[in-house]
Amino acid sequence: MKKLSKPAFLKVFPWVLVIGGIIGLIASSVLTVEKIKIAADPNFIPGCSISPIVACSPVISSDQATAFGVPNPFLGLAGFGMVIAVGMMLFAGATNLKKWFWWCFQAGTLFGILFVSWLIYQSVYEIGKLCLYCMATWAITIPIFWATTAYNLQQKNIAVRGALGTVLRNHSGKLIVLSYVIVLIIVCTPLSEYWYSLL
């Protein structure tokens, strides 16, 4: 993957936040509606339940879906809303934000990627089902985290020394692709018998 120059990356970064945030906000909104419908009618089958493995109801109804005492989609609504807001601030020319602001935003994206990693494990290995809208939030949390990390390193809001810092600062695209490959392996390997049955 071709490495973006620093000026090009700075132009792309707000788009990553806004587009990723919108996708996450839509997915979280749909999950919120589905969660309410399931709560009202336990027999309700969401439209994203399309196979024995790709079935939203078991995921939405699981204990993991309220990991912090509130439905996870509510966290998504708040989190992705803030991601969109930061992207729009950058589009509006907010280039001199305080370092503490970026530390907080970096911490938020770190929480997001760690939480998503835990949810991926729980979905595949504990629940044994996949939720399409949940996977949409997984997919966009990954580039949001890596792009934010690269941005903060390039702008010297945070510091990571040595080869690790160079990789994080200059190779976010490769890290995004690598993350997708790892997630694909995690999702496909335990459920390989089902995927093979579709061939």
Side-chain angles (χ1 to χ4, degrees):
M1 179 179 289
K2 184 179 179 180
K3 187 179 84 171
L4 291 174
S5 64
K6 185 174 180 179
F9 174 80
L10 294 179
K11 290 180 180 179
V12 169
F13 179 56
W15 287 103
V16 173
L17 297 183
V18 172
I19 294 175
I22 290 173
I23 293 172
L25 194 63
I26 292 172
S28 297
S29 299
V30 173
L31 285 169
T32 298
V33 172
E34 301 286 28
K35 179 77 173 180
I36 292 171
K37 290 181 177 179
I38 290 175
D41 179 9
N43 295 318
F44 173 76
I45 300 177
C48 55
S49 294
I50 59 177
S51 77
I53 294 298
V54 183
C56 294
S57 293
V59 178
I60 295 174
S61 302
S62 67
D63 292 337
Q64 292 89 333
T66 53
F68 295 97
V70 297
N72 295 345
F74 291 2
L75 302 178
L77 291 174
F80 291 119
M82 286 188 282
V83 169
I84 295 171
V86 173
M88 295 303 293
M89 289 165 61
L90 293 175
F91 276 130
T95 57
N96 295 316
L97 297 170
K98 300 293 186 180
K99 283 188 177 182
W100 64 260
F101 175 88
W102 289 111
W103 295 342
C104 291
F105 190 63
Q106 184 70 56
T109 62
L110 177 61
F111 168 80
I113 198 73
L114 292 175
F115 188 41
V116 159
S117 299
W118 180 78
L119 290 173
I120 292 172
Y121 176 85
Q122 293 296 317
S123 182
V124 174
Y125 290 95
E126 299 295 330
I127 304 172
K129 306 290 182 182
L130 298 173
C131 167
L132 284 176
Y133 297 114
C134 301
M135 289 190 288
T137 64
W138 304 348
I140 52 85
T141 299
I142 289 170
I144 288 172
F145 169 74
W146 288 121
T148 298
T149 302
Y151 176 85
N152 278 327
L153 286 168
Q154 290 184 14
Q155 297 300 103
K156 296 181 171 50
N157 295 317
I158 60 176
V160 178
R161 299 182 183 278
L164 177 59
T166 300
V167 171
L168 294 175
R169 181 171 54 250
N170 298 324
H171 299 284
S172 57
K174 293 177 181 178
L175 291 170
I176 291 168
V177 172
L178 177 62
S179 298
Y180 283 146
V181 171
I182 292 172
V183 171
L184 191 62
I185 292 172
I186 291 173
V187 170
C188 290
T189 302
L191 306 175
S192 58
E193 291 186 9
Y194 172 74
W195 302 123
Y196 284 135
S197 71
L198 299 179
L199 300 178

